[in-house]
Amino acid sequence: MIFWFLSGAMALVVGGFLARAAWRGADTPLPAQADYDLKVYRDQLDEVERDVARGVVPEADAARIRTEISRRILAADAGRDTRVQSTSRPAPLVLIGGIIALGAGSLALYWHLGQPGYGDLALADRIAFAEDMRRNRPSQQSAEESLPASPSTEGLSADYLALMQQLRATVKERPEDLQGQTLLAQNEARVGNFAAAAEAQGNVLRLKGADRTAKDIADYAELLVLAAGGYVSPEAETALREVLNRDEQDGRARYYLGLMMVQTGRPDVGFRIWDALLRRGPEDAAWIEPIRVQIPQVAALAGVDYEIPQTGNGAPARGPSAEDIEAASEMDAGDRMEMIGGMVAGLSDRLASEGGPPQDWARLITSLGVLGDTDQARAVYDNALEVFSGDSAALDMIRNAGERAGVAG
């Protein structure tokens, strides 16, 4: 309320100054057009005298010019209207209406385009706020309870519905039947009953125990997301991270992890995860088209001027390598630091805008350590840990680079 009070008061004050200027300006007489003309002609005469003094214009030509200007002065003076012209004073109601419209229009525009109640947070505060939002976000049960209780059965044949009822009854009688739980999960998902499908798939994981695969867990995580209407709950995140612990290159799990980052206030991390998936491909992967549709908006939220890359082209490693830095040892200190600094800046800009593989992030962290820029190295190191969260191989590479740069831990 304090913000709205101050904003409204400032709008009224500005409107009041404008109204005062309009009201007082009505008493100011307007000079006649002939007065402007006379002033211009007198300035022209002065200019002629200066040109004659500099020798630019001969005296004979100056005399003719003076005569012509003098004739124009006489004509303008003869046509002068000595009556004082003044502007009409606006009606008080018009001024009051203008002030109200100005204030209300400004506040309405901010309400539409701005973020009322959102503080001006520093980057570290925004990251902390996003982390807190991720830790305290709604559970799977809360998300499911906010959605319609059951899906529509419109379009399903009576025979299929009867078979579904029979399957549900059979599984209820034999809850330890792995094949029955698997069939139930598949068919509940087919009819759009994702909550029941997730429950059945959870039973599949329980029955399989240590034999469950990364695909089984990924299926369960995806069903949880679908049951929550596209929301990645803490329970779904736990399943996704288990998938990535088993297979750090699982594209489906990385897609949903990126979606979770977008939903919890870290579009920068989500953008980099999705961009890496786009570049890796393959073209026919199920998550490629959803990423193409959503990533322009996510890139805008992340502050990246982004052009969708060719799918499957990878992300070539660029930037200063160990060989580059070693070769620079033959230069003098100034040239060496300038060369390394230029290469590091180029790599840093590319990773910030386009993302890249963990090798490039590790190289950037190491290079910043060589340059002695530990603050920037630590910031890149922390960001890389977020980007490759769940990718054990990439995290090992990033942590090794952080140790070499002296920023790990």
Side-chain angles (χ1 to χ4, degrees):
M1 289 303 298
I2 295 177
F3 168 79
W4 289 111
F5 175 78
L6 292 176
S7 299
M10 291 173 63
L12 289 175
V13 169
V14 172
F17 278 118
L18 293 176
R20 178 173 176 268
W23 184 266
R24 295 182 62 183
D27 297 331
T28 303
L30 297 176
Q33 178 63 40
D35 292 337
Y36 287 111
D37 295 340
L38 289 171
K39 185 176 185 306
V40 171
Y41 297 149
R42 292 189 180 100
D43 289 341
Q44 289 177 347
L45 283 175
D46 293 338
E47 184 67 25
V48 170
E49 297 302 329
R50 286 194 293 270
D51 290 342
V52 171
R54 293 198 307 268
V56 176
V57 178
E59 182 60 38
D61 293 338
R64 287 195 298 271
I65 296 173
R66 292 192 195 96
T67 301
E68 176 60 25
I69 295 175
S70 298
R71 184 187 65 77
R72 295 180 181 179
I73 290 176
L74 291 174
D77 187 60
R80 289 180 65 184
D81 186 356
T82 58
R83 291 174 299 177
V84 175
Q85 301 180 24
S86 62
T87 58
S88 60
R89 176 170 288 167
L93 289 178
V94 174
L95 288 178
I96 294 174
I99 294 173
I100 295 174
L102 176 65
S106 300
L107 295 177
L109 185 63
Y110 176 75
W111 182 269
H112 178 67
L113 298 178
Q115 287 284 355
Y118 194 77
D120 184 16
L121 302 177
L123 178 59
D125 294 331
R126 291 176 186 270
I127 293 175
F129 177 78
E131 183 63 28
D132 182 69
M133 182 169 62
R134 184 170 64 185
R135 285 196 303 266
N136 299 300
R137 68 191 191 276
S139 66
Q140 180 73 26
Q141 181 179 353
S142 299
E144 291 181 11
E145 289 175 350
S146 67
L147 299 175
S150 60
S152 172
T153 58
E154 184 179 355
L156 299 176
S157 68
D159 291 341
Y160 185 79
L161 290 175
L163 289 173
M164 282 297 303
Q165 291 297 336
Q166 183 178 353
L167 177 60
R168 289 165 183 158
T170 301
V171 171
K172 186 175 182 179
E173 294 174 357
R174 299 161 55 186
E176 303 303 312
D177 184 353
L178 176 60
Q179 184 177 5
Q181 294 285 2
T182 302
L183 288 173
L184 183 60
Q186 293 171 352
N187 285 277
E188 292 286 17
R190 195 168 291 136
V191 300
N193 193 3
F194 297 115
E199 182 181 358
Q201 185 64 20
N203 288 327
V204 170
L205 298 182
R206 175 179 59 82
L207 294 172
K208 283 192 172 184
D211 294 332
R212 59 187 178 183
T213 65
K215 181 183 181 303
D216 294 330
I217 305 170
D219 289 341
Y220 175 63
E222 184 171 44
L223 289 171
L224 288 176
V225 174
L226 295 174
Y231 162 69
V232 184
S233 66
E235 293 83 351
E237 180 188 359
T238 299
L240 292 170
R241 294 196 181 278
E242 184 177 350
V243 174
L244 293 174
N245 286 335
R246 292 168 175 258
D247 179 9
E248 65 270 12
Q249 298 302 321
D250 189 286
R252 182 167 47 158
R254 295 190 70 79
Y255 164 72
Y256 283 119
L257 192 65
L259 179 62
M260 182 207 68
M261 289 296 182
V262 175
Q263 293 174 347
T264 54
R266 292 303 305 269
D268 55 328
V269 178
F271 163 74
R272 292 190 177 105
I273 293 173
W274 283 0
D275 177 67
L277 286 174
L278 269 185
R279 295 175 185 277
R280 191 184 76 186
E283 178 73 30
D284 59 351
W287 50 86
I288 293 297
E289 190 57 32
I291 289 177
R292 281 205 185 105
V293 172
Q294 299 174 83
I295 200 169
Q297 183 179 1
V298 173
L301 292 173
V304 178
D305 185 9
Y306 185 65
E307 182 177 347
I308 296 179
Q310 180 181 352
T311 302
N313 68 344
R318 289 171 286 178
S321 64
E323 292 77 11
D324 293 330
I325 297 176
E326 184 178 353
S329 62
E330 299 178 1
M331 304 178 180
D332 61 59
D335 292 341
R336 179 168 61 253
M337 298 306 288
E338 182 178 357
M339 186 200 80
I340 296 174
M343 291 188 291
V344 168
L347 177 59
S348 179
D349 291 343
R350 181 175 66 80
L351 291 180
S353 62
E354 303 176 10
Q359 293 87 345
D360 285 6
W361 288 85
R363 183 174 297 133
L364 176 59
I365 294 167
T366 302
S367 300
L368 289 170
V370 171
L371 292 174
D373 192 350
T374 54
D375 291 339
Q376 182 66 12
R378 183 173 292 105
V380 175
Y381 174 76
D382 293 340
N383 199 2
L385 292 179
E386 286 281 356
V387 171
F388 297 102
S389 176
D391 188 337
S392 57
L395 289 176
D396 288 342
M397 191 178 303
I398 297 300
R399 291 191 181 99
N400 290 335
E403 291 174 359
R404 290 194 297 272
V407 296

